[in-house]
Amino acid sequence: MRILLIEDERGLADAIAKRLRQEGYAVDLAFDGEEAIGFADAVEYDVLILDLMLPVRDGMNVLRELRRRGNKTLVLILTARDGLKDKVAGLDAGADDYLTKPFSFEELLARIRALLRRKGLPQNTVLKVGDLEVNPATRSVTRAGRRIFLTAKEYAVLEYLMYNSGLVVSRTQIEEHVWDYDFSGASNIVDVYIRYLRRKIDQDFSPKLIETVRGQGYRLRVPE
Ligand code: CA
């Protein structure tokens, strides 16, 4: 899952980004409203975390502009403005959730997970494909009841495949949702991670769940 964090206080932005990355999210940072719109136009993010008091264009302006352009990305407003009026205005302008500073990281993470579930994704917290189960809240993975240990990036790739189970996702889509702009690794990074995942979730089990769709990408097969 890839998040755009729009926050002009660098120290806070870095702290939030660090924590989100520890959770396996890919995170890009925008430090003003104009930059935020540029990023949101260029990449299909899963969630935007939006501060309201920003240089160049303030957060409400960014939100209205994105919605005007038809951008439907989930937006969580994160701001020190805690007046009821501001909350109502933010939600009316198309925000999906609102959290006021100071906040706890645990609550921010829980709200992000809740938003991702709302994104047309299963309402129950545990994602299941066949006998493979993924719990986004704890990031625990089991197959046929056996616990499987994944690195943060392996987990992020698997979770993205789970949210799109049955659908073909391209290497570019996976890369865009799992890695951020700071990433400068090999161009075959997705294939490398799919190989790691196959070793862990498919090698000792049947049926094989991760399918290669030639010329298109990968699909997590839903067994009948
Ligand atoms: Ca600010």
Side-chain angles (χ1 to χ4, degrees):
M1 298 289 134
R2 187 160 173 182
I3 294 174
L4 177 61
L5 172 62
I6 306 147
E7 169 65 67
D8 61 318
E9 287 166 56
R10 302 265 170 154
L12 179 61
D14 287 342
I16 297 173
K18 188 176 167 203
R19 186 61 204 271
L20 292 173
R21 288 183 183 130
Q22 283 169 356
E23 295 294 316
Y25 295 108
V27 184
D28 293 317
L29 294 174
F31 299 108
D32 68 56
E34 198 64 45
E35 196 176 34
I37 289 175
F39 272 59
D41 269 350
V43 172
E44 193 193 311
Y45 288 98
D46 299 290
V47 175
L48 308 186
I49 299 176
L50 177 66
D51 180 28
L52 288 185
M53 284 175 273
L54 290 169
V56 192
R57 267 171 184 256
D58 72 25
M60 287 297 290
N61 186 297
V62 170
L63 180 58
R64 290 203 183 93
E65 179 60 21
L66 289 175
R67 294 303 188 234
R68 194 187 65 77
R69 295 181 187 196
N71 185 313
K72 295 192 179 72
T73 309
L74 295 165
V75 172
L76 186 154
I77 291 178
L78 183 62
T79 178
R81 286 189 196 165
D82 60 357
L84 181 62
K85 253 185 171 166
D86 289 315
K87 276 189 197 175
V88 170
L91 295 169
D92 279 346
D96 300 279
D97 200 2
Y98 200 108
L99 185 60
T100 50
K101 299 172 188 168
F103 61 95
S104 78
F105 280 119
E106 293 314 311
E107 183 173 5
L108 175 64
L109 295 170
R111 283 173 185 260
I112 291 169
R113 290 193 298 268
L115 283 177
L116 291 170
R117 283 203 300 277
R118 266 172 56 186
K119 204 180 161 184
L121 303 170
Q123 290 302 303
N124 53 337
T125 43
V126 178
L127 308 170
K128 289 183 192 177
V129 171
D131 58 0
L132 176 66
E133 297 192 6
V134 167
N135 184 335
T138 58
R139 287 192 293 156
S140 77
V141 177
T142 60
R143 181 140 190 212
R146 254 163 70 186
R147 181 78 197 267
I148 293 169
F149 295 92
L150 302 180
T151 65
K153 281 298 175 216
E154 289 167 357
Y155 176 83
V157 173
L158 178 62
E159 192 191 67
Y160 186 67
L161 290 172
M162 293 289 281
Y163 277 127
N164 292 286
S165 59
L167 305 173
V168 180
V169 288
S170 70
R171 287 173 177 79
T172 309
Q173 279 177 307
I174 297 172
E175 198 177 311
E176 283 198 355
H177 283 270
V178 174
W179 281 273
D180 48 50
Y181 273 125
D182 291 337
F183 171 70
S184 56
S187 58
N188 65 340
I189 188 75
V190 171
D191 303 296
V192 170
Y193 273 84
I194 292 286
R195 209 152 59 228
Y196 294 157
L197 273 179
R198 279 187 162 138
R199 219 172 282 159
K200 293 185 178 180
I201 72 156
D202 266 348
Q203 188 167 283
D204 299 336
F205 300 93
S206 153
K208 307 300 176 205
L209 297 175
I210 300 175
E211 275 184 337
T212 304
V213 182
R214 279 191 66 158
Q216 293 184 53
Y218 294 102
R219 173 168 52 206
L220 198 64
R221 200 161 67 87
V222 183
E224 276 140 36

